[in-house]
Amino acid sequence: MTGISASLPSHLLALKLSSMLLLSAASGMMLVVNKIQPSQLAEEQRNATRLWKQLSREIDNMLSKKSNLTKQDVNLAMDKVLALDKAYPLPLLPGMLEKFPEHVEPTCWWPKKQNKHSPTPVNQEKSEGNGWSQELEVEMMGLKNVLKMKDESYYVELGKLVLGINKSLAFSGPAIAGLAAIATGFVDSPIGGSWAPGASIVGGALVAVLNTVEHGAQLGMIFEIFRNCPGLYRKIQEEIECNLSEPEVELRENGEVFATRVALQLGRSVSELKDFAVFASPSCKVKDMKEFASKLF
């Protein structure tokens, strides 16, 4: 419209006002959409729904296997509910999850203070040492180091990169649209001269490109994925630390069951966990780790 108005002086006012109105409306709509980040909102609610269903199954399983629930069981379930509710608050304003955080941290949807594991149930046969051995402890320690130093740090760095790009596009788009609307107001004026139509046309086209890149590439969703993946790795690390810090092996989760569960979460077989024993030393470095601990992401 700005370009046409320059060649049709008889319709200049109508076209100029229409162009200013559309650019101003585009700037306002982009501010709202960039604040909500629809793709990120959809991803976080999809993940929250999955975690709520998982927690519901855990509670149902606990109720079906224990005839007499203890206060510790109830407190643990309540802590998990509160932690998950805090990790994924109300989906829309004013309580929604922060879209542009100052610091990128892995999502935490579990209680930070892990309760001690209950002993193995009576109806489950205990292997010697409750399934734990010195070799398994070394494997778990090496796996924890790889998860922390390679997998988690890798996705956190990717999250920072995507967040920086998304933040730049989210703030520059509405600003350029507003400047283009102002430039349109100077069309065919002594101040505007010949630069106002060009600035308005270029600004409007640039806004369309920036908005398409930001929301067409689903940068908000990508950032949320990069924040959730290291969250899973952090959770596995804390579970390993919680088990290894318990000196009484009978109070730990069964070692064989725990190793199988961790291997499944990482997309590996139990036998592959032995490859991480060499990284159990605190002196190991990231450059020595040739592959990631997880094969799923």
Side-chain angles (χ1 to χ4, degrees), residues 65-277:
K65 289 187 176 181
K66 290 191 175 183
S67 56
N68 295 320
L69 292 176
T70 64
K71 186 176 181 180
Q72 182 182 4
D73 296 326
V74 177
N75 291 338
L76 177 59
M78 183 59 69
D79 289 341
K80 290 182 177 181
V81 170
L82 294 176
L84 184 53
D85 183 66
K86 182 179 180 180
Y88 295 97
L90 294 175
L92 293 177
L93 298 172
M96 68 179 183
L97 194 65
E98 187 177 2
K99 307 303 179 184
F100 304 104
E102 292 294 331
H103 305 285
V104 178
E105 294 290 340
T107 307
C108 179
W109 62 85
W110 62 92
K112 295 301 292 183
K113 293 184 179 179
Q114 295 281 0
N115 295 63
K116 297 296 183 181
H117 293 288
S118 301
T120 306
V122 177
N123 60 354
Q124 180 178 346
E125 295 184 2
K126 295 181 182 179
S127 58
E128 184 178 355
N130 196 23
W132 287 91
S133 63
Q134 184 66 31
E135 292 77 11
L136 181 58
E137 291 183 356
V138 174
E139 292 170 12
M140 290 294 109
M141 183 60 67
L143 179 62
K144 183 182 75 71
N145 290 338
V146 176
L147 284 171
K148 180 178 181 180
M149 300 172 64
K150 193 171 181 67
D151 294 67
E152 180 182 327
S153 62
Y154 174 75
Y155 279 99
V156 169
E157 290 302 319
L158 285 179
K160 291 179 180 178
L161 175 62
V162 174
L163 176 62
I165 297 174
N166 192 31
K167 186 183 294 186
S168 300
L169 295 176
F171 285 98
S172 60
I176 294 176
L179 293 175
I182 296 174
T184 304
F186 290 101
V187 173
D188 196 36
S189 67
I191 300 178
S194 60
W195 65 265
S200 178
I201 294 172
V202 173
L206 184 59
V207 165
V209 173
L210 294 178
N211 190 65
T212 301
V213 171
E214 180 185 4
H215 297 289
Q218 305 286 295
L219 294 181
M221 179 189 69
I222 295 175
F223 169 67
E224 188 63 23
I225 292 175
F226 287 162
R227 186 161 57 175
N228 288 331
C229 287
L232 174 62
Y233 303 147
R234 179 73 62 86
K235 185 175 186 293
I236 296 176
Q237 292 175 53
E238 293 189 8
E239 289 177 348
I240 293 175
E241 292 176 352
C242 181
N243 277 283
L244 296 182
S245 62
E246 175 55 60
E248 298 292 335
V249 293
E250 298 301 329
L251 296 180
R252 300 177 183 176
E253 183 179 352
N254 182 273
E256 296 176 358
V257 175
F258 179 70
T260 303
R261 181 166 61 83
V262 170
L264 290 174
Q265 287 179 316
L266 298 176
R268 291 183 174 274
S269 63
V270 179
S271 60
E272 289 180 312
L273 299 183
K274 297 179 181 179
D275 299 335
F276 297 99

